[in-house]
Amino acid sequence: MTALGTIDRPLTHDPLKQALMSPYTTSEQPHGAAHADFITAGAITSRQNRTREMQLIPEALARAHMDDRMREVDAERLAMRLVAARRMQRRAERVSLRARRALAMAVMH
């Protein structure tokens, strides 16, 4: 296997001259091989962008984690309100039954 531009055998060993990994492969160039008209400044810029993106990953993960926690807290708060509402409904039903019995006792005597 002496194909040029593979992962094991890159076309060039200089990381600044290697092309970016693209989501599609072309039949003319092997994937990841340096193009003839490749500009080194573009590689440096793209690597800086990747570095910036890598630095922002923990912030994005923290934001997603906080969003999940806020959704959990909201769901728990809603569940607690539902439990309290059911408790008050049962209490109101007991009071209503007690009042009905008291009225029936008053009418009977």
Side-chain angles (χ1 to χ4, degrees):
M1 292 208 155
T2 60
L4 295 177
T6 62
I7 293 174
D8 294 330
R9 297 174 185 269
L11 188 61
T12 176
H13 291 289
D14 186 7
L16 296 178
K17 292 182 181 175
Q18 288 180 1
L20 301 175
M21 300 291 272
S22 59
Y24 60 90
T25 59
T26 60
S27 59
E28 299 88 25
Q29 281 280 349
H31 191 65
H35 298 287
D37 59 346
F38 186 74
I39 301 172
T40 307
I44 293 171
T45 305
S46 67
R47 280 170 178 72
Q48 286 174 348
N49 286 342
R50 265 189 271 160
T51 303
R52 193 174 303 123
E53 289 171 6
M54 293 290 280
Q55 289 173 350
L56 294 178
I57 286 174
E59 183 179 337
L61 286 173
R63 191 177 295 114
H65 180 69
M66 287 304 295
D67 286 345
D68 288 344
R69 290 290 297 139
M70 289 301 287
R71 266 189 243 112
E72 287 175 12
V73 167
D74 287 341
E76 188 175 340
R77 191 177 297 134
L78 183 63
M80 292 302 288
R81 287 178 59 192
L82 184 63
V83 166
R86 285 181 179 165
R87 189 180 304 129
M88 286 189 279
Q89 182 181 5
R90 285 194 300 265
R91 186 178 297 164
E93 287 172 357
R94 283 194 303 265
V95 169
S96 173
L97 273 173
R98 208 175 301 139
R100 197 177 297 166
R101 282 188 199 130
L103 182 63
M105 292 296 278
V107 170
M108 296 280 274
H109 289 116

